[in-house]
Amino acid sequence: MNERIIGVIRLSDKTDVTTSPERQRSSIENASAARGAEIVGWAEDIDVSASQKSPWERPELSKWLDHPEQWDALMFWRLDRFVRKVSDFAEMIRWCQKYDRNLISATETIDIRSPIGRVIAYIVSAFAEMEAEAIRERVTGSHDYLRRNGRWGGGLAPYGYQAEPIPGGKGVTLVEDPAVSEILREIARRVIARESYLSIAADLNERGERHSPGGAGLPTRSTSCPLAGQDTNPSPGVDGNGPHMCGGNG
C-alpha cells in the first residue's frame, strides 16, 4: 500500500505571498508524487502562529492528530511551516514514535524515521525558533521606535482618535476625532458626576451616537464602555441597528 500523506499547510499572515498556501500545496504534491505516496487529506491552518499554538492546538491539524490510523506521515513545505519551537517539535517526534508515524519536509532533508534525520530536524527546528524570536524582537522594536517618534504603528485607531498623515513627514499619527471627542468628554463628565453607566449608554444610544466616521466603531461589548473602566452588563450592546455605546438595553 502506498504511503498515506497528510499535507500540512500553515500561514501566520495570509498576505504573505512568499509562503502562500498555493505554493506550499504545490511543493507537497510534487514531493509526495516523487515518493510514490498518496495524499489522503490536508490540514490547512491559515492565520495561525506556530509560535503561539502547538500542533495539537491548531483547528485543522489537530483533527488528523486525533486519528493517526488514517495516515502514515505528515508532510509540510518547510519545518518552520510546521513548528517554531524546539519543545513542540520534540513532543511531536515522541508522539510520532509512539504511533509509528513520520514527519517529512517537502524541501528539506527531514525524515524522522532515521537517527540522522531526527538530528537534522532538531537543528532546523532550533533555527526556526531563533528566527521567530528575532521577528518578534524586530516588530516590537519597530513599534517602540514609532511611538517614541509620535507615529502610529497601524491597525484600528482607538475610539476617539483617527490616523492622519504627519505634515511634512513620513507615516501617520493619531489625532482627536472631532466627530466623537466631545462625546467622550461628555461621558467622562457624566461618570464623574456618578450617573450610572447604563443610563449614559441608553441616552447616547437613543440619540444615535453609534459610530465614529474617522476611526474605530464604538465598543460593541458592554465590558468596554469608554472611560468607564468597569463592567456594566454582561450582554453585548448590539441590535439590528449597529453597535451601541455599551450597556444591555437601549
Side-chain angles (χ1 to χ4, degrees):
M1 186 176 69
N2 291 343
E3 186 179 32
R4 299 168 300 170
I5 297 288
I6 299 299
V8 178
I9 295 173
R10 186 194 64 80
L11 202 61
S12 299
D13 184 352
K14 58 184 168 186
T15 64
D16 185 356
V17 178
T18 60
T19 55
S20 68
E22 293 76 18
R23 180 179 178 183
Q24 294 182 48
R25 183 181 292 268
S26 176
S27 181
I28 292 170
E29 288 173 342
N30 292 337
S32 295
R35 292 173 67 93
E38 176 188 4
I39 297 177
V40 296
W42 293 91
E44 185 168 328
D45 290 303
I46 307 301
D47 283 337
V48 173
S49 170
S51 299
Q52 298 176 6
K53 291 186 179 295
S54 73
W56 290 270
E57 295 174 313
R58 299 172 203 167
E60 296 303 317
L61 180 55
S62 62
K63 295 176 184 177
W64 291 106
L65 295 178
D66 287 339
H67 298 283
E69 73 283 356
Q70 297 180 6
W71 50 273
D72 302 308
L74 299 176
M75 182 179 287
F76 33 85
W77 178 56
R78 284 183 5 185
L79 186 58
D80 63 2
R81 295 298 94 197
F82 184 56
V83 292
R84 283 280 193 176
K85 290 183 176 180
V86 177
S87 57
D88 285 344
F89 187 60
E91 182 64 26
M92 196 71 235
I93 288 179
R94 286 192 290 269
W95 185 92
C96 285
Q97 290 175 328
K98 176 181 178 180
Y99 290 100
D100 192 25
R101 294 296 176 262
N102 200 5
L103 299 176
I104 305 168
S105 171
T107 59
E108 301 156 319
T109 310
I110 293 177
D111 186 324
I112 66 166
R113 286 206 166 134
S114 69
I116 187 63
R118 288 195 294 273
V119 170
I120 292 173
Y122 272 120
I123 294 173
V124 173
S125 67
F127 278 102
E129 183 170 354
M130 290 168 58
E131 181 186 8
E133 182 61 32
I135 291 172
R136 282 194 295 270
E137 290 179 358
R138 286 197 299 271
V139 171
T140 301
S142 174
H143 286 171
D144 288 344
Y145 172 81
L146 292 174
R147 283 193 293 269
R148 288 196 302 270
N149 288 273
R151 293 166 59 184
W152 173 238
L156 206 59
Y159 182 71
Y161 292 87
Q162 58 188 6
E164 289 188 355
I166 297 175
K170 294 182 179 180
V172 297
T173 188
L174 289 180
V175 298
E176 280 192 13
D177 183 347
V180 295
S181 57
E182 185 53 41
I183 297 173
L184 290 176
R185 294 188 181 94
E186 177 188 345
I187 294 172
R189 289 193 296 269
R190 295 170 70 170
V191 168
I192 292 172
R194 298 188 177 278
E195 184 175 349
S196 75
Y197 303 147
L198 292 179
S199 172
I200 298 172
D203 175 53
L204 294 171
N205 286 323
E206 185 177 351
R207 285 160 40 187
E209 305 288 1
R210 299 175 185 272
H211 62 85
S212 167
L218 285 164
T220 57
R221 292 185 62 84
S222 61
T223 55
S224 54
C225 269
L227 304 183
Q230 300 183 31
D231 293 350
T232 58
N233 190 299
S235 62
V238 180
D239 60 17
N241 297 319
H244 286 184
M245 290 292 294
C246 50
N249 300 316

